[in-house]
Amino acid sequence: MIKKTIIINGAPRMVIVNPETSLADVLRKQLNLTGTKVGCGNGQCGACSVIMDGKVIRSCVTKMKRVPDGASVTTIEGLGTPDNLHALQLAWAVHGGAQCGFCSPGFIVSAKGLLDSNINPTREEVRDWFQKHRNACRCTGYKPLVDAVMDAARVLRGEITKEELAYKLPEDNKIWGGNYPRPSAIAKVTGTCDYGADLGLKLPPGTLHLKLVQANVSHANIISIDTSEAEKMPGVYKVVTHKDVKGKNRITGLITFPSNKGDGWDRPILCDEKVYQFGDAIAIVCADTEEQAQAAVEKVKVELEVLPAYMSAKAAMAEDAIEIHPGTPNVYFEQKIVKGEDTKPIMEKAEYVVEGQDLYVGRQPHLPIEPDVGFAYFDEEGRLTIHSKSIGLALHGAMIAPGIGIEPEKLRMVQNPAGGTFGYKFSPTIEALLGVAAMATGKPVYLNFNYYQQITYTGKRSPFFMDIKLGADKDGKLLAMETEWTVDHGPYSEFGDLLTLRGAQFIGAGYNIPNIRGIGRTVCTNHAWGSAFRGYGSPQSFFASETMMDVLAEKMGIDPLELRYRNVYRPGDTTPTGCAPEVYSLPELIDAIRPRYQEALEKAKQESTPEKKRGVGVSIGVYGCGLDGPDGAEAWAELTPEGVTISTCWHDHGQGADMGVLGTAHEALRPMGIKPEEIKLVLNDTALAPDGGPAGGSRSQVLVGNAIKAGCDLLLNAMRKPDGSYRTYDEMVAENIPLKYVGKWSAPCTDCDENGQGNPFPTYMYGVFLAEVEVDINTGKTQVVKMTLAADVGKVGNKLLVDGQIYGGLAQGIGLALTEDFEDLKKHTTMVGCGLPFIKDIPDALDIIYVETPRELGPHGASGVGELPLTSPHAAIINAIYNACGVRITHLPALPEKVLAGLKALKNQ
């Protein structure tokens, strides 16, 4: 141990530390300065940034032996407080820079380091600084962060005041449609928002720390598990195996498709008979400290019989492949699409036919900056209470309760502030492990993944292998489409059938295609299990149809945007599922983006050089809002002496659920003259709030929003006097009028049938993407120089939130197109290894054109937004690469070596 004095935020602090301990751990665990976050843990994300002796450093990789005695360290707590914000913190809030907010303290501290040395930076200098200091964000697309730094610099230069920068409530008291900062923004920018790992440091004495014994192979039979040596290790309370699980030891996938050949009970909580994928949990060590638990993990002996590992759908479908789940075929679900007439004779007579084979969108990793984390305990009413990053509390309760062996009414699920999920938490990850450990020990338990576990254990986007054929008449009007798609869903079936249905719903979506025939199949493999990822099935689907629309346009010799214009939905047209769209805004969206497109084409011609070719590409994207069929939600509105309390589970993975609830409720309650600060939110605790349904499929604003509006409408009706004015709380009590109202809303929709036909979603989102790229002919590297999205998401409820969702989705689309992958279990196990885009990988030129078409079934005319920006930006980028250099990439990501190989093939033709 060594003794050091460190000047922390201006105050000397003496610490006794292990010289190998990181500065981040000392700040967080010994000094309780939890505003400094730890994400990747290896210096790649910058969430842990602090300023030491005037320099921005990453504290997670700074050992205490390298911290000079007397060093001056500034953390986020030293910049400002909730009631006295630093200009950077204020700018972050008003520009929507804190979405999930987990990376915000690191960015803000890093930005202070920049402004301390350069108070008048250019936007490019800000971007260079964040690139140099490895500050990574997965939510915002970076543009709002640069906006925030530029405005904070103006304040520090004295050009504007903080009061002038701060948000001001309009005179009409209307926040819907404006830029009202999310309620959680101040806590996030000051580091006072407690995420799971922060709360873990505040758990009571006696809390057990959990570490997992995990499989280091992808497929094996388990011969034996010996925990005897581990149980003797210092500090170990218990080593939990499948024998300690009181329930079925399975997480149910809630299979609802009758044709699914599995039963949904295929995912073990703790492996008992087999290992199905790399990283599967085999045992849980419960100990007094994390270090003791990890030491004991190494002493658990697991004997395995290694089996052939089927790491792709094609391998698992081979004739000699064994069943991964004995008794269930590896191809366990099929989904047909049958619309209109038989396509074969139509294709034979079509003037133009194009065909694409083996198109592939791969295993995109979610890469939230915060790793998975949670804890569990028994509450004051004896309920097993599980805190996690879950974005579907009631759903996850139903999925894990039988497996861990508890009655649903004795299970309480709570969402902690989540540092991003982007869909992976639509599936339960650590919830059942926490529940099992708490039940087996009777003590509070805490589990925090390191980033290697985050990447290797949690689910990924399921790859699609796709074949597609389009037929069109002499004018380019689409006549028929034939499709075949194969979904590699990993070893666990949960939601695999629903994902496969998405291929039927979205391949060719946006266009009137009267005749469609196709089939999709779900395949069990031993690679990473498939979980929901933003866009859920649409990025795969649109990659097929949107690349082939460009191929068709080239064959016809017409402009690709014009071909799309001729075919997009108009009155009388139907979707691939055979229903009428709720609005017909795609022609207007194309008209809105056309001048930008023509300008981009001209600019690409002017700026292309023999070494660096410029190109332009377009695509359209469509996504439905809901979970198919009669999806529903519930919310409560209650009048109190202080105002109105809104209770629901509108889960937040960074998109701004708190602002969604507040904005939707305030607009509904505005006739009574209520102020935003008079609306209290009770969210995401199954003991305190009703089920709004999971936050997926861009459903929350529509489904939960309508439930909130319904509850508020009922409350207003009860408060309204005959003269049109409104009763006060005291008047309601005096007249014995109920104060609490239950709002419920169900989508008036139908499930798709075995042929993929139905009316699955109440509203949709529509977009037209424009990508401008530069391809380095010598290296094959592609740089996106500008992205534009013309978007119709209905009425925009909060522009800060919607802008941020679109910027972030576009950035993830760039990653999907060019760099992101989780295929190689040795290579793709860090943020950098997985291809996470940093700020210089994303253009500062991210533009949005809004076309606001009110939705009849959307609250206050709104539709959803979250999925839209990741439906097909990657297809526009791939089309732009072809436009630039003539190389058509069919397997994502478009790594430089793939582009170079394509260029070499062109030379050899």
Side-chain angles (χ1 to χ4, degrees):
M1 293 294 169
I2 56 175
K3 177 177 77 71
K4 288 195 175 183
T5 297
I6 314 172
I7 312 302
I8 303 288
N9 299 322
R13 304 289 297 272
M14 189 268 286
V15 292
I16 310 297
V17 296
N18 183 322
E20 296 298 320
T21 299
S22 72
L23 174 58
D25 277 355
V26 171
L27 292 171
R28 291 177 51 78
K29 297 178 180 179
Q30 293 185 228
L31 299 176
N32 201 31
L33 295 171
T34 55
T36 300
K37 309 303 179 188
V38 175
C40 66
N42 58 14
Q44 294 185 359
C45 75
C48 64
S49 295
V50 299
I51 299 171
M52 185 171 76
D53 292 336
K55 293 184 178 180
V56 174
I57 63 166
R58 281 157 273 175
S59 62
C60 78
V61 290
T62 302
K63 303 290 188 184
M64 287 305 298
K65 65 185 179 184
R66 290 173 45 210
V67 176
D69 195 43
S72 177
V73 175
T74 301
T75 71
I76 189 69
E77 290 89 349
L79 267 66
T81 61
D83 58 358
N84 185 24
L85 299 175
H86 187 279
L88 279 163
Q89 295 168 317
L90 175 61
W92 235 258
V94 300
H95 282 286
Q99 288 192 28
C100 85
F102 191 81
C103 72
S104 295
F107 264 98
I108 292 169
V109 170
S110 182
K112 184 179 189 300
L114 167 63
L115 297 183
D116 284 348
S117 59
N118 180 3
I119 202 170
N120 192 17
T122 65
R123 293 185 70 88
E124 202 57 30
E125 285 172 334
V126 176
R127 286 163 54 80
D128 287 342
W129 180 272
F130 287 145
Q131 182 77 17
K132 173 186 174 183
H133 289 89
R134 280 315 215 204
N135 291 108
C137 177
R138 193 61 166 157
C139 293
T140 64
Y142 298 106
K143 182 175 180 176
L145 311 185
V146 181
D147 293 340
V149 175
M150 298 303 286
D151 264 356
R154 292 175 63 208
V155 173
L156 296 177
R157 293 194 303 267
E159 296 170 8
I160 60 172
T161 65
K162 285 201 293 184
E163 290 71 26
E164 289 170 320
L165 177 59
Y167 173 85
K168 298 167 189 64
L169 190 67
E171 290 184 6
D172 64 358
N173 194 36
K174 183 182 177 70
I175 65 171
W176 179 264
N179 288 312
Y180 192 94
R182 65 185 73 201
S184 58
I186 300 304
K188 289 174 177 177
V189 302
T190 55
T192 56
C193 178
D194 280 336
Y195 296 84
D198 307 324
L199 293 166
L201 296 173
K202 299 171 175 67
L203 291 172
T207 297
L208 296 173
H209 293 266
L210 310 182
K211 291 293 180 181
L212 304 182
V213 178
Q214 293 177 267
N216 57 10
V217 299
S218 297
H219 195 197
N221 286 323
I222 297 176
I223 305 301
S224 64
I225 304 170
D226 183 357
T227 64
S228 57
E229 189 176 351
E231 288 171 332
K232 298 173 185 175
M233 293 286 287
V236 173
Y237 185 85
K238 185 175 181 63
V239 180
V240 178
T241 70
H242 66 90
K243 296 177 181 178
D244 300 296
V245 181
K246 296 178 172 61
K248 297 182 68 168
N249 190 35
R250 291 295 184 274
I251 294 170
T252 173
L254 300 175
I255 295 299
T256 57
F257 288 66
S259 57
N260 193 312
K261 295 176 182 177
D263 62 6
W265 295 95
D266 49 31
R267 182 176 159 207
I269 298 172
L270 291 170
C271 293
D272 39 27
E273 297 176 350
K274 286 186 72 175
V275 165
Y276 298 98
Q277 70 161 30
F278 186 92
D280 266 349
I282 298 172
I284 309 170
V285 176
C286 313
D288 292 336
T289 70
E290 289 188 48
E291 293 76 14
Q292 290 169 332
Q294 189 58 52
V297 164
E298 311 304 323
K299 301 297 183 180
V300 176
K301 298 174 182 177
V302 181
E303 184 181 357
L304 300 174
E305 176 196 6
V306 177
L307 299 171
Y310 305 116
M311 302 301 279
S312 72
K314 292 179 180 180
M317 293 165 65
E319 287 187 9
D320 61 347
I322 63 173
E323 290 179 341
I324 293 172
H325 294 281
T328 301
N330 290 345
V331 180
Y332 58 89
F333 178 73
E334 292 186 343
Q335 174 66 55
K336 293 187 293 182
I337 173 84
V338 178
K339 178 187 176 185
E341 300 176 7
D342 183 13
T343 54
K344 187 175 181 180
I346 297 171
M347 289 289 188
E348 291 173 352
K349 295 178 182 179
E351 189 77 18
Y352 297 99
V353 176
V354 294
E355 192 167 1
Q357 294 187 325
D358 201 29
L359 298 165
Y360 177 76
V361 175
R363 211 171 264 102
Q364 186 183 18
H366 298 73
L367 301 177
I369 307 299
E370 179 197 35
D372 214 20
V373 60
F375 49 92
Y377 55 92
F378 286 90
D379 72 4
E380 70 280 7
E381 295 186 20
R383 292 172 294 200
L384 174 61
T385 303
I386 300 174
H387 288 242
S388 71
K389 294 176 67 176
S390 169
I391 56 170
L393 297 172
L395 173 70
H396 289 175
M399 292 176 71
I400 70 172
I404 64 179
I406 196 167
E407 296 300 316
E409 61 271 17
K410 294 182 180 179
L411 179 61
R412 177 182 182 182
M413 304 289 289
V414 183
Q415 188 194 27
N416 292 329
T421 92
F422 313 107
Y424 88 90
K425 286 301 300 184
F426 197 94
S427 292
T429 52
I430 62 175
E431 285 79 6
L433 298 172
L434 290 165
V436 162
M439 291 177 68
T441 63
K443 289 177 171 287
V445 295
Y446 168 72
L447 175 59
N448 186 18
F449 276 4
N450 62 38
Y451 215 81
Y452 181 83
Q453 290 175 301
Q454 171 65 37
I455 293 176
T456 55
Y457 180 87
T458 62
K460 304 292 176 284
R461 188 184 298 284
S462 296
F464 277 34
F465 299 84
M466 297 163 287
D467 297 338
I468 180 171
K469 191 175 183 179
L470 295 177
D473 67 16
K474 60 182 178 59
D475 297 319
K477 289 289 287 182
L478 293 172
L479 301 173
M481 179 174 73
E482 295 174 354
T483 54
E484 185 174 352
W485 65 102
T486 299
V487 180
D488 177 345
H489 199 57
Y492 305 127
S493 66
E494 58 197 58
F495 316 124
D497 42 21
L498 183 63
L499 176 63
T500 307
L501 172 61
R502 290 291 181 265
Q505 293 167 337
F506 293 120
I507 300 177
Y511 306 117
N512 182 52
I513 309 175
N515 308 292
I516 305 176
R517 293 293 185 275
I519 187 166
R521 60 183 67 86
T522 323
V523 183
C524 180
T525 72
N526 294 115
H527 214 310
W529 51 290
S531 63
F533 194 146
R534 187 184 210 162
Y536 194 56
S538 68
Q540 301 97 314
S541 300
F542 281 110
F543 186 63
S545 48
E546 286 304 300
T547 56
M548 292 314 296
M549 285 296 283
D550 261 39
V551 173
L552 177 59
E554 183 180 37
K555 188 169 187 177
M556 293 182 63
I558 66 171
D559 180 85
L561 187 63
E562 173 60 27
L563 178 63
R564 288 170 170 83
Y565 187 76
R566 295 180 188 181
N567 285 282
V568 291
Y569 298 147
R570 290 175 173 83
D573 295 344
T574 57
T575 71
T577 66
C579 66
E582 87 287 30
V583 296
Y584 299 90
S585 57
L586 278 167
E588 187 178 353
L589 289 166
I590 293 178
D591 285 338
I593 211 167
R594 186 180 281 113
R596 308 276 191 104
Y597 170 67
Q598 293 168 342
E599 180 185 335
L601 287 172
E602 186 59 35
K603 189 175 181 183
K605 287 180 184 177
Q606 294 172 357
E607 298 187 2
S608 280
T609 69
E611 292 77 26
K612 294 191 175 181
K613 300 284 190 181
R614 290 289 183 108
V616 178
V618 293
S619 63
I620 68 166
V622 181
Y623 204 81
C625 300
L627 298 181
D628 294 76
D631 186 10
E634 181 175 335
W636 302 336
E638 182 176 6
L639 186 65
T640 69
E642 295 77 29
V644 174
T645 296
I646 304 294
S647 305
T648 189
C649 288
W650 182 331
H651 306 87
D652 196 343
H653 25 172
Q655 80 279 24
D658 55 347
M659 189 62 234
V661 175
L662 178 63
T664 306
H666 183 262
E667 182 65 7
L669 297 170
R670 200 156 58 94
M672 64 181 281
I674 196 169
K675 297 176 182 177
E677 59 269 25
E678 295 172 333
I679 298 176
K680 179 184 176 183
L681 309 181
V682 176
L683 304 177
N684 304 327
D685 181 336
T686 59
L688 304 177
D691 183 20
S698 291
R699 64 180 293 282
S700 297
Q701 179 63 73
V702 177
L703 275 296
V704 191
N706 270 317
I708 291 168
K709 184 176 181 299
C712 291
D713 288 347
L714 291 170
L715 174 58
L716 277 185
N717 287 338
M719 293 175 66
R720 190 176 294 115
K721 297 178 181 179
D723 64 2
S725 62
Y726 293 89
R727 295 176 176 88
T728 65
Y729 172 84
D730 290 336
E731 288 172 331
M732 293 280 284
V733 172
E735 295 182 48
N736 201 28
I737 299 174
L739 301 172
K740 181 177 179 180
Y741 294 85
V742 176
K744 294 183 179 182
W745 196 80
S746 293
C749 296
T750 59
D751 292 313
C752 289
D753 62 19
E754 62 181 9
N755 291 322
Q757 300 301 285
N759 180 25
F761 307 112
T763 71
Y764 291 79
M765 305 159 282
Y766 303 90
V768 181
F769 296 84
L770 169 61
E772 301 172 51
V773 307
E774 181 179 82
V775 180
D776 188 318
I777 299 302
N778 296 316
T779 66
K781 180 176 173 59
T782 299
Q783 182 75 36
V784 177
V785 296
K786 187 174 183 179
M787 288 291 296
T788 305
L789 172 60
D792 180 7
V793 295
K795 298 300 290 183
V796 174
N798 182 285
K799 193 169 183 300
L800 276 186
L801 264 59
V802 176
D803 282 357
Q805 286 293 285
I806 291 177
Y807 294 144
L810 292 176
Q812 289 179 328
I814 292 170
L816 175 60
L818 300 179
T819 58
E820 294 181 31
D821 203 3
F822 179 72
E823 188 63 36
D824 188 325
L825 291 174
K826 294 181 179 178
K827 177 182 177 182
H828 298 142
T829 54
T830 65
M831 286 185 183
V832 171
C834 286
L836 174 74
F838 288 86
I839 192 168
K840 295 302 286 287
D841 300 309
I842 306 299
D844 196 33
L846 298 176
D847 288 354
I848 308 169
I849 304 168
Y850 287 112
V851 172
E852 296 187 65
T853 311
R855 302 300 200 272
E856 182 181 351
L857 293 178
H860 314 306
S863 190
V865 65
E867 255 76 21
L868 175 67
L870 195 45
T871 52
S872 68
H874 56 301
I877 293 166
I878 297 307
N879 289 337
I881 292 174
Y882 183 83
N883 179 253
C885 66
V887 173
R888 172 69 64 190
I889 299 296
T890 58
H891 280 222
L892 298 185
L895 299 172
E897 53 265 35
K898 294 182 184 178
V899 177
L900 277 178
L903 289 168
K904 183 178 180 181
L906 287 175
K907 284 184 179 180
N908 294 334
Q909 285 181 355

